[in-house]
Amino acid sequence: MQPGVTTKEEVFLLLGEPDYASEDGQRIGYAWKKVKMWMVVYNAAGEIEKGYLLQIKFDSDNRVVGVDLMQAWNSDVPPTQMLRSE
């Protein structure tokens, strides 16, 4: 993705429909999680996850102006709240 060159349509063709979008449609996000490790303490076990959100910002001509990758360990923050506003 090249800022000022890649269009929103090209992003959709490459990555598919986004998981999240800002109200104005100028920011979209793709979210996923990875299990990084399993933890066993006494008789309890659990997984430790890392959540990711790839945020892509567009200008008024629907061309990419920026890409951010946000990461959080075991985050309870919904990815829609992680979409940063300008």
Side-chain angles (χ1 to χ4, degrees):
M1 284 181 262
Q2 291 182 289
V5 176
T6 307
T7 64
K8 189 182 285 187
E9 182 178 300
E10 291 171 325
V11 171
F12 287 167
L13 288 172
L14 180 66
L15 300 175
E17 288 293 317
D19 297 307
Y20 304 98
S22 63
E23 287 184 26
D24 63 4
Q26 296 304 107
R27 290 171 285 121
I28 61 173
Y30 295 90
W32 69 96
K33 287 185 177 184
K34 286 186 178 182
V35 174
K36 292 293 187 177
M37 68 180 93
W38 278 88
M39 191 163 99
V40 179
V41 179
Y42 298 105
N43 291 332
E47 53 190 39
I48 297 177
E49 295 179 333
K50 190 167 190 178
Y52 298 88
L53 178 68
L54 178 67
Q55 175 182 257
I56 304 168
K57 294 180 261 183
F58 299 92
D59 62 16
S60 59
D61 293 327
N62 285 324
R63 294 196 181 276
V64 172
V65 292
V67 179
D68 296 306
L69 178 62
M70 292 169 261
Q71 305 173 39
W73 287 98
N74 292 329
S75 175
D76 291 334
V77 178
T80 51
Q81 292 177 0
M82 292 174 69
L83 283 175
R84 298 180 190 156
S85 60
E86 294 298 318

